[in-house]
Structure formats: C-alpha cells, structure tokens
Amino acid sequence: MRILFVSSIIPYPPVRGDKLRIYNIIKQFNRYHELKIISFVKNEEEKRNAKNFKKAGYNLTTVNLPRITGIFNLFRMVINKDPLQVSFHYSKKMASIIQQETRQNNYDIVYFHLFTVAQYCRSVKNPYSIKVFDMTDATALYLQRYLEIIRNPIKKFFVKFELARIRLYEHIIKIFDVTYVCSMVDLNYLRTRIPLINIRHFTNGVDTDYFQVEKQTYKKHRIIFVGSLPYYPNTDAVLFFAKEVFPKIKISFPDAEFYIIGSNPPEEVKSLASESIFVTGFVEDIKKEYLVSEVNVAPIRFGAGIQNKIIESLSLGIPTVSSKLAVESFDEEIKKFIFTAETADEYANMVSKIFNNSSIRDSMMIECIRLIKEKMTWEKLVNTENIYLESLVEERKKTKLNNKID
C-alpha cells in the first residue's frame, strides 16, 4: 500500500507519548509499505529532529509553522468555532501540499495523526483514499477531567471555553473512514457522544527489541517516575507524590530516593530537587533507569488515553503503583499486576509493601512480562490494524472498479 502520514509533530526522537506512538506505527508500516510523512516544524530543534529522521531513511516533507504564525492564527477563532489548538495549526501551505500530493499520487491511505491536523482531511483530493484519523486520546474527556481539579477561576473559564469548542469540533470524526483511540474508555466516551462512527481501539504498545529484560541489580528503595514534564498531568503527579507521598515513605525508609525522569521539567518540578529527590531531565537510556529502580509510580490524577510509562515498566517486570484512572484502559488480565492507590497514605502503603516483599518482583512480575510480550508489542498491534486497513483498501478498489464499469 501507499500511505501518506500527516502529523503536527516530527515523530523523532520518540521521547514522549505522542511521538512514541506515531514513530512506532510508522516504523512498523514502513516494513511493508511505501510511506511519505508530512509534518510541521516549529523551531530549530524540530528542524534538527527532522534531519535526523530523514537520515534514518524516512521520506519526510516539513512545513514551517513558527510560533508567531501560530499565535497570529488564533485570531481565526473570532470568525470560526475551531478550538485554540486547531486554529494554531492552520496553514495554507500544509493544505496545498496535501492537495498536490493526493492529486498527483495514488495513495491508498491518508493517515492523520492527532486532533490538530484533522482539519486537513478536506484537502485530500483522491476520493478513493481511505482517510484515517489517529485521535489517540479523546481531547474533550481530558479537558473534562482537568476541569474537575482546576481551582483558578480564570483558567477554569478558558478551559471551559476550549472544551465547548472541542466538543463541537469532534464531529469531524464523521468525515473519516476510521478513527483510532488508544483506550476503550476514550472509545466508549466518543461513541456515546457521536453515534454511528467507525472508531477502533488501537492501543499503545512497547518496542520489545529495546525493552528486553536484563539481569540488573536494582537499588533498594529507589522510586522512579517517567514522563514528559511539560505535560501538566505529569507535572501534577510529580508534585503530588513528592510533596504528599514521599515524606510518608521516608518515615519508614529514610534511605528512599525518588527519581523524576523526563524532558524539559518546569521550574516547579526542578525546585523539588534535594538530597533524596533527583530531577534528571532527559536521559539517553530509559530502560536502565527502570531496571535499577525498585518501584515505578504513576500517580496520574487526570487525563485520558493509556500510560506508556506503565507499559514500559511492566514489560521489564518493574512493580508499578498507579492511580485507578491511569490503569482503567488496560485489559483486566494485565490490571491485576498493577498496584493501585488514590490517597497519599494508600500510595505510601503500596510502595512500602513492595519494598518489604522482594518476591513481587522476583516471581509475580514474570507472568506480567510474558503477557505484555504476548499482547502489547508494537509489531503485533500494528499488524492487526494493517490487516484491517488492507481490507478497507480492497473494498475501496472494488468500489472504484464498479464505478468505472457503470
């Protein structure tokens, strides 16, 4: 098949959730099909990332979208009802390139990644191309949950304003042949709001070529949190754990250490650094950080989708303590290997339980590793959707042939 990918982000390096997902999907599809990727670049760092992505052998075309242009685009919100993030990513050049590509090339599939580029589905000029929308998360569900914890009235007003626009804009799903989300919770939420749409559960996976279990001596009482820290649910989780949970753990385990690992930590996270709290920023080998830790934590209090930090840690057999919200998207047979908590006391008790029982890691997590490899590898997940999309393409080809005959 010939597939055109359109994304608002450069899928490289795969260092955060949205990049990680599209990078691995492209990587797997590239093994079987002819691919072209079109993406925005917004700054010099993204331009360097684009060059490295091209060097890796991918056919990439970029469209410049400087921050000042995106901000200027927000004035469009005065005359239309598009959400802020959709208006920011408006580009005549992007629309023109997609029109030209789909007019001149016979793409079987045009795959739009993320909510911000769904607007360009109207630029596809080949009526027989299958239009795919990888929404990943239900954005409205994310903002709805965010509203529940906001205390600042001004921020609350603007989030409500954006949420109202997103709920209207979500109906763009109806234009696509298939929409993907990575969580059954998100899928059910969208089906309730927008009936009669073709939406499929395409969960996130793990790259088992990289995340292979190795014999590694872990450090007792070492706790790890992994995540992109500009993403506010991660910042909130880290602040909650460091300020409300970790002091309780230190009472029983004074040598406990908490490692916060993720790119671009904001000042409020950097300020947490102490003799026992380490804010590392980006690290080259995230697998090593997991393996030398005794416990992984994911105290996410709002958000949507599925947590890569949990999939990765489970694939390596690292016990994880998480909020119930963060594990709601996992299969029941995998959920039983994740320890859940809600209050600061519950988190402290669960971490202490793991500290006091080495058999959890040594025996219980072995079965979990097997299950992740069986059900959640990127190769397996993408192959399932590859078969499905090939069937849609074949049906569309039959339709095209019948139209010619008629």
Side-chain angles (χ1 to χ4, degrees), residues 123-333:
S123 299
V124 176
K125 292 303 178 183
N126 182 351
Y128 296 104
S129 294
I130 300 295
K131 292 191 283 292
V132 177
F133 178 20
D134 192 334
M135 195 176 197
T136 306
D137 304 333
T139 310
L141 177 60
Y142 163 78
L143 288 180
Q144 185 176 299
R145 288 172 166 176
Y146 186 27
L147 269 176
E148 294 172 4
I149 72 161
I150 296 175
R151 296 294 175 261
N152 185 312
I154 298 175
K155 183 182 284 188
K156 197 156 196 163
F157 170 81
F158 281 107
V159 171
K160 281 184 177 180
F161 178 81
E162 179 75 348
L163 176 58
R165 288 186 169 229
I166 284 174
R167 283 174 171 163
L168 287 173
Y169 192 79
E170 275 178 341
H171 289 265
I172 199 171
I173 291 174
K174 297 173 184 176
I175 301 175
F176 291 88
D177 296 291
V178 58
T179 295
Y180 286 130
V181 289
C182 64
S183 151
M184 283 302 297
V185 175
D186 296 55
L187 184 148
N188 292 330
Y189 172 83
L190 289 167
R191 274 192 178 155
T192 301
R193 285 187 40 76
I194 312 171
L196 304 177
I197 54 172
N198 184 19
I199 185 166
R200 284 173 64 87
H201 178 217
F202 183 4
T203 193
N204 285 352
V206 65
D207 180 358
T208 49
D209 290 338
Y210 175 65
F211 286 98
Q212 289 190 8
V213 180
E214 298 175 2
K215 285 290 183 182
Q216 178 86 46
T217 301
Y218 63 87
K219 188 173 183 180
K220 289 292 292 180
H221 309 152
R222 187 186 200 261
I223 306 165
I224 187 176
F225 176 93
V226 175
S228 176
L229 292 165
Y231 182 56
Y232 191 70
N234 285 337
T235 297
D236 174 75
V238 162
L239 294 173
F240 165 68
F241 192 88
K243 293 179 178 180
E244 299 185 37
V245 181
F246 193 58
K248 295 178 182 292
I249 294 170
K250 292 282 283 184
I251 294 171
S252 300
F253 303 93
D255 63 337
E257 295 177 338
F258 181 36
Y259 280 76
I260 302 166
I261 297 174
S263 59
N264 303 315
E267 288 302 319
E268 57 187 335
V269 173
K270 289 180 181 178
S271 68
L272 297 172
S274 67
E275 290 184 356
S276 55
I277 298 179
F278 303 87
V279 183
T280 69
F282 173 76
V283 296
E284 288 291 340
D285 190 356
I286 191 63
K287 181 175 75 170
K288 178 184 175 183
E289 298 297 331
Y290 280 123
L291 289 172
V292 298
S293 301
E294 187 168 12
V295 180
N296 174 55
V297 293
I300 305 297
R301 299 196 288 183
F302 68 95
I306 194 165
Q307 298 294 317
N308 292 301
K309 61 180 69 65
I310 298 179
I311 303 172
E312 291 169 351
S313 63
L314 295 181
S315 72
L316 295 170
I318 313 303
T320 295
V321 183
S322 168
S323 65
K324 292 176 182 176
L325 182 146
V327 303
E328 64 184 2
S329 302
F330 285 86
D331 289 348
E332 291 300 322
E333 55 186 332

Side-chain angles (χ1 to χ4, degrees), residues 8-44:
S8 59
I9 57 172
I10 298 294
Y12 191 86
V15 293
R16 66 175 198 240
D18 50 1
K19 286 190 172 190
L20 194 65
R21 177 177 175 85
I22 193 62
Y23 173 80
N24 280 288
I25 290 171
I26 288 173
K27 177 183 174 182
Q28 294 299 326
F29 273 121
N30 198 50
R31 296 169 60 187
Y32 311 108
H33 307 298
E34 182 184 342
L35 270 56
K36 182 178 179 65
I37 303 104
I38 305 174
S39 175
F40 284 117
V41 289
K42 305 179 184 76
N43 53 49
E44 292 303 315

